[in-house]
Amino acid sequence: MPADPHAPPGEASAGAAGHALLPPPLSLYVHLPWCVRKCPYCDFNSHEFKGGTPPFDAYVDALLADLDQDLPLVWGRTVHSVFFGGGTPSLFPAAAIARLLEGASSRLRFAPDAEITLETNPGTTEHGRFQDYRQAGVNRLSFGIQSFDDGCLTRLGRIHDSRQAVDAITLAREAGFENFNLDLMYALPGQTLAMAEADVTRAIALAPTHISHYQLTLEPNTVYAARPPEGIPDDDLAWDMQERCQDLLAGAGYAQYEVSAYARAGRQCAHNLNYWRFGDYLGIGAGAHGKLTLGSEQTLLRRWKHKHPVAWLAAAGTPAAIGGDDRVAPERRPFEYMLNVLRLIEGFTPAAFEARTGLPYAAIAPRIDTAVRAGWLQVEGARIVPTALGRRFTNDVVSLFLDD
């Protein structure tokens, strides 16, 4: 089998060595749970903070205690990326972000070129704060724009308008940020094909290095699920929006590398790539999830923390903060691997599958053959990649790998 192209130096593929599990690249995910206002479509672990100011300092103390508790799981490993997600991480002052990064880097070895991303809402940022985030160590921003149409933004419950979005991006660039993502959604209530095209055109004009472009879905336990808004485009129109916007992005030099992610050359999101390549990530904070390869036990561990910030804060650093631990049985690993890697345009290699799951490629070969015959996957040299049809029906392809 070919060597795993995604293994960092010193962590070569284990496929030819009895399919042992070796630790893949490691990322750190930090969940900052508060927001100004909960959007009606949002199913993330985010909470409106009502009354006063969120306890920023206490939360950072708790994050470091949470990290201390999980450190034995990752001793000696290098962190290749950090991602602050939420909620609205840009609610946190730069001093809090700096203290967390200083504390984390004193406990874990950070790669010299580690990508450190902060999600930001255009309605919660200003010039001085961007400069301070850079000084704190943040080197990549992800703007939750969603749309440049003020009517769409109002219907989505966003707290910013299109002018504030453009102003925030301009200020970030002036503060020295060159690497940033714009999040856009399509198939929005009341949106036409021309409106979806206009959103992408405006995003391209702002010259981000990365654009995430994904369809609005009505997730369970959201306001939109309980009371669906009027005017949501039907499936045919949503497909037209996706295809037309993909063409616009490709024409502007943004290569699609994942189902909903497009980037300039060399500017793919390293953190999310590690997720999709079935790498490891340590999750700290209220509701954070992690996935870790435990070489000594030859097992994959999924760990998650209690979701509610108040309960998590009270227990942080103790076993009571852990919502659960789940050791992923070998028969479940093919499904979990494919659930991630088949989102990637690049697909995967048999050696990568073996290294990440500890299983022989023969365990999935018959199902791969089924997907190839269906026109969902194709073999390109040493790689197995999803076809255009397979990317459209990703759920069907992944379901082939469910444990019988």
Side-chain angles (χ1 to χ4, degrees), residues 7-8 19 44 46 51 72 87 106 121 126 181 237 239 243 316 339 347 351 361 389:
H19 315 303
F44 295 160
S46 59
S106 71
N121 184 319
E126 41 80 21
N181 167 65
L237 178 53
W239 180 250
E243 286 196 313
L339 188 64
Y361 176 70
L389 182 65

Side-chain angles (χ1 to χ4, degrees), residues 146-147 156 184-189 191-192 195-197 199-200 212-217 232-233 235 237-243 245-246 259-260 262:
Q146 315 314 353
S147 177
L156 289 173
L184 291 179
M185 300 170 71
Y186 67 93
L188 306 178
Q191 190 178 48
T192 65
M195 292 164 66
E197 293 174 351
D199 273 348
V200 169
S212 298
H213 187 248
Y214 50 94
Q215 183 175 348
L216 171 67
T217 55
I232 292 182
D235 289 344
L237 178 53
W239 180 250
D240 289 343
M241 290 177 176
Q242 179 181 329
E243 286 196 313
C245 291
Q246 283 177 339
V259 169
S260 58
Y262 305 77

Side-chain angles (χ1 to χ4, degrees), residues 252-283:
Y254 292 88
Q256 184 181 19
Y257 69 98
E258 187 265 347
V259 169
S260 58
Y262 305 77
R264 297 285 193 191
R267 292 297 197 172
Q268 297 90 341
C269 177
H271 189 86
N272 285 341
L273 268 178
N274 193 40
Y275 285 164
W276 295 321
R277 288 169 174 167
F278 213 52
D280 279 0
Y281 50 99
L282 189 64

